Amino acid sequence: MTGEALFLGLLPLPPGAALCGREITDVVTTPDTASENALYVCLDTAVESGADGAPFAYARGCRSFLCARRLSLPSDADVLICEEPAALLGILSQRCYGEPARHMTVLGITGTHGKTSVARMLVAMLQGKGWRTGAVTTDGVVSPSGCVKTAGAIAPNAADLARELALFRKEGADFAVLELSAYQLRYEAHRGIAFAAVLLTNLEPHHIGKGLHPDREAYYAAKQKLFHTGAPIALLPSGFCEFAADGREVSYGEGGEIGMRGLTPCTNGPHIGYRFLLCHGGEEQPVFCPVPAPFAVRNLVAAASLALAAGMTLKEICETLTPFPHTGRMEPIASGGGRTVFLDTAYEEKALIRVLAALRTFFEGRVCVLLGSVGGRALSRRAPLGAAAVAYADFAYFTADDPDGEDPEQIFRDMVADVEDRARYRFIGDRKTAIEEAVGELRPHDVLLILGKATDETQLVAGKREPFCDRAVAREALARML
């Protein structure tokens, strides 16, 4: 694709601009990925200015740039200036990679909690139907062929999504499922993509006042962007009325157009969870959700709603729920001798309280929790999280959780700063030792909840990722007890 074809009608190019004769095969926003045939878009984010990377992109051979201001580059560089490069990034990227989003059905998911879980369940439903489906979530990328790529430190922008969709197209994708955070939507990651249906999981006043979203209005406005992409179907939680959508609004959840009723805690073989009826258009189908938490049921109904929008029947959806695909949220990883170990990714006070309360519905013994907090950030979450762990669990084990360059013991002290009852918690700095001791102290009918690294198999220490797997350590520790 030539530069002329790429930019024609989108940017005011002067007659005879050298860029028009230069082939553009890639659109990048980081200088280390720039090359001779790349367009480097100076994308500003909350932590850096894209213009600062332009000289480094030039040094790698890049000669085509899009920026909101003039750049001090040699005369052989073509610099196009527009007011909002982020607003054009998605459109340019989609065009550069052959409009991949137009060759598959794209489903978008946003919300405060549950996005990844909904995306994972939806992918399993669509694949169970026999449709080739890829997904981009917080956890990473799953291609239609099943290849998995772990997420990086930075959320995908519009160029990254276009690149992944192009790869999905090569694998013959029928569907693409995209999870979009408020951060991504704020920086226009959704631009250039024609969504067939979009869904909101929930909307709570989190992630505000941390440099990303200054207030509730800004956070909600970022989320609302996904619902103004022209998607013909907008799926919203029952009773939600915070904003309007471009397409037909369909409610889901208890009392919704796509509804549920008869929620009942129960067991199903080795699994514990909830039974309920999934309802739509006068039809009802029984469902078992093998996760002992009401939020998992809400996520399941959300995923089913998108599957219905994609063309599946209620019966097909229920048939594809076996085996139930869940990882990281209330995930049972080991059991024996009446003892059970769960993994979960709760990282803030209210989420932890909900998880612990859900476990008490099903277990008559002690509910214990093992947790830490990441180093170098999330300082304001530490004390509330630690206080909730001690107050709502019978015993809390504090340990390292990606401490990076920070002392795990200092993180622990921050977490228990507001806790007076020292008899209900203990600090064990080494995570492996902490898990082994926590599992070893379980009694029959007790449950242990391990937090923080449910979907991760590394530990970040002093800037290095070291192999570490909570699942393996917990399972081995429990096996030694039996």
Side-chain angles (χ1 to χ4, degrees):
M1 179 177 292
T2 66
E4 183 175 9
L6 176 61
F7 295 106
L8 186 62
L10 292 174
L11 294 172
L13 294 178
L19 179 62
C20 292
R22 182 176 290 125
E23 184 180 17
I24 301 296
T25 60
D26 202 7
V27 179
V28 301
T29 57
T30 54
D32 58 335
T33 57
S35 62
E36 180 182 356
N37 296 116
L39 169 68
Y40 177 77
V41 179
C42 300
L43 186 67
D44 293 338
T45 68
V47 295
E48 62 183 355
S49 168
D52 293 341
F56 300 98
Y58 181 90
R60 289 182 57 86
C62 183
R63 296 297 182 266
S64 304
F65 299 83
L66 176 65
C67 192
R69 61 179 175 83
R70 295 185 180 278
L71 299 173
S72 297
L73 296 175
S75 59
D76 62 336
D78 294 307
V79 182
L80 299 168
I81 299 176
C82 70
E83 291 185 1
E84 297 183 29
L88 283 175
L89 178 62
I91 299 170
L92 296 174
S93 300
Q94 288 291 329
R95 185 170 295 188
C96 178
Y97 301 124
E99 302 283 1
R102 297 183 182 276
H103 294 270
M104 62 195 77
T105 301
V106 184
L107 306 171
I109 303 168
T110 194
T112 305
H113 299 299
K115 299 184 294 296
T116 304
S117 296
V118 172
R120 187 179 293 115
M121 286 188 279
L122 176 61
V123 169
M125 293 175 188
L126 298 175
Q127 289 178 341
K129 170 72 173 175
W131 290 327
R132 294 178 67 81
T133 306
V136 182
T137 73
T138 302
D139 289 345
V141 179
V142 179
S143 73
S145 63
C147 294
V148 178
K149 181 167 60 178
T150 304
I154 301 174
N157 58 36
D160 299 324
L161 292 180
R163 204 173 295 114
E164 296 297 347
L165 290 173
L167 294 175
F168 289 180
R169 180 187 177 188
K170 287 183 179 179
E171 294 189 8
D174 300 302
F175 287 87
V177 178
L178 304 183
E179 173 189 338
L180 292 153
S181 67
Y183 177 88
Q184 289 173 287
L185 292 168
R186 175 182 174 183
Y187 291 101
E188 310 292 343
H190 60 293
R191 286 292 189 108
I193 299 174
F195 292 91
V198 292
L199 178 138
L200 178 74
T201 58
N202 49 50
L203 201 52
E204 298 181 16
H206 293 272
H207 314 302
I208 295 172
K210 302 179 177 65
L212 297 179
H213 311 288
D215 50 39
R216 176 184 181 277
E217 289 69 28
Y219 179 61
Y220 282 28
K223 292 293 189 184
Q224 192 169 4
K225 286 185 175 184
L226 185 61
F227 296 85
H228 292 308
T229 57
I233 299 175
L235 294 153
L236 301 170
S238 179
F240 181 84
C241 56
E242 291 285 348
F243 52 69
D246 289 344
R248 174 175 173 252
E249 296 181 16
V250 179
S251 63
Y252 71 88
E254 193 167 5
E257 187 174 334
I258 303 170
M260 52 169 285
R261 69 179 184 87
L263 187 65
T264 306
C266 66
T267 60
N268 184 8
H271 302 291
I272 57 175
Y274 288 91
R275 288 193 183 278
F276 63 97
L277 291 173
L278 188 61
C279 316
H280 176 61
E283 180 185 358
E284 296 181 340
Q285 288 288 336
V287 177
F288 174 70
C289 175
V291 182
F295 65 75
V297 175
R298 291 192 292 271
N299 291 340
L300 190 154
V301 176
S305 300
L306 273 171
L308 282 167
M312 293 183 68
T313 66
L314 209 60
K315 183 178 180 181
E316 289 172 336
I317 289 169
C318 295
E319 289 174 348
T320 57
L321 287 175
T322 304
F324 186 88
H326 71 289
T327 303
R329 292 308 314 272
M330 295 289 283
E331 177 190 357
I333 59 163
S335 62
R339 306 164 179 87
T340 309
V341 182
F342 283 84
L343 295 184
D344 196 81
T345 54
Y347 59 85
E348 55 91 29
E349 175 192 10
K350 290 183 180 179
L352 175 57
I353 293 172
R354 284 194 292 263
V355 172
L356 292 174
L359 287 174
R360 290 197 184 280
T361 303
F362 291 89
F363 293 92
E364 60 184 45
R366 297 181 309 152
V367 176
C368 304
V369 62
L370 182 146
L371 73 164
S373 187
V374 296
R377 56 190 175 92
L379 303 185
S380 63
R381 288 204 300 258
R382 291 179 181 177
L385 185 64
V390 176
Y392 290 89
D394 293 295
F395 196 84
Y397 300 86
F398 291 91
T399 188
D401 182 355
D402 284 344
D404 198 3
E406 197 171 355
D407 181 2
E409 190 166 356
Q410 179 57 54
I411 297 174
F412 155 68
R413 286 195 290 268
D414 292 343
M415 296 186 75
V416 296
D418 299 332
V419 177
E420 296 181 359
D421 189 354
R422 298 187 178 184
R424 295 183 60 186
Y425 67 84
R426 184 160 79 248
F427 172 69
I428 306 170
D430 180 74
R431 191 173 181 90
K432 182 175 185 293
T433 302
I435 293 175
E436 290 174 339
E437 291 195 17
V439 172
E441 293 176 3
L442 290 175
R443 308 163 188 164
H445 309 298
D446 284 356
V447 59
L448 172 66
L449 177 69
I450 300 177
L451 294 182
K453 304 182 66 61
T455 58
D456 193 1
E457 295 191 355
T458 62
Q459 179 83 307
L460 180 61
V461 180
K464 295 182 179 180
R465 288 281 178 186
E466 300 177 354
F468 188 88
C469 180
D470 284 354
R471 287 179 181 81
V473 175
R475 286 169 178 164
E476 290 171 6
L478 189 58
R480 288 194 292 269
M481 297 176 61
L482 303 178

